[in-house]
Amino acid sequence: QVQLVESGGGLVQAGGSLRLSCAASGRTLSNYVMGWFLQAPGKEREFVAAISKTGGTTYYADSVKGRFTVSRDNSKNTVYLQMNSLKPEDTAVYYCTAKRYGSVLQSDDYTYWGQGTQVTVSS
């Protein structure tokens, strides 16, 4: 199985930027569709972004489209989430996730999860 560890979270002001990283180990990263989810206090976990195995296809939630960019470097076994123009409503714990099979357009079938990293955006 693949193990996922997120990093890069922190406290930023509204309008600022942050880059999250997800380091994978245990398996070849190119075998997995990768995604990012968030969970705000008192809310259910929701989809943010996904990227295909080779990085050729990406898919974003409407709330982050145009502001966030997901990318991957399979040679480094790492997935990234570049977060620009951050808003207070982006505040949440962000989770890296992976699945061996499936489409970037489907968000309810991920099987591996990281521990999460806190992102806080102040106004």
Side-chain angles (χ1 to χ4, degrees):
Q1 62 179 21
V2 62
Q3 298 179 36
L4 308 172
V5 179
E6 304 96 331
S7 63
L11 174 64
V12 298
Q13 291 184 314
S17 297
L18 203 61
R19 188 179 76 159
L20 306 184
S21 297
C22 174
S25 63
R27 293 289 187 274
T28 301
L29 188 64
S30 62
N31 290 331
Y32 297 87
V33 175
M34 304 297 296
W36 289 93
F37 283 70
L38 65 81
Q39 187 165 26
K43 303 293 181 62
E44 64 184 10
R45 195 171 297 184
E46 63 183 74
F47 171 78
V48 175
I51 187 167
S52 61
K53 294 179 179 182
T54 61
T57 304
T58 57
Y59 178 61
Y60 299 92
D62 287 342
S63 61
V64 306
K65 198 171 298 181
R67 299 189 298 123
F68 291 9
T69 303
V70 61
S71 62
R72 66 193 298 161
D73 186 343
N74 288 339
S75 69
K76 296 181 178 179
N77 277 352
T78 303
V79 177
Y80 305 95
L81 185 67
Q82 179 66 47
M83 311 165 70
N84 298 327
S85 301
L86 283 161
K87 305 174 180 179
E89 51 262 44
D90 296 321
T91 295
V93 176
Y94 284 73
Y95 295 89
C96 178
T97 187
K99 57 184 178 183
R100 185 74 177 266
Y101 311 101
S103 170
V104 297
L105 301 179
Q106 185 172 351
S107 59
D108 63 352
D109 58 348
Y110 287 91
T111 54
Y112 301 96
W113 295 84
Q115 85 290 346
T117 186
Q118 177 71 48
V119 172
T120 303
V121 184
S122 64
S123 59

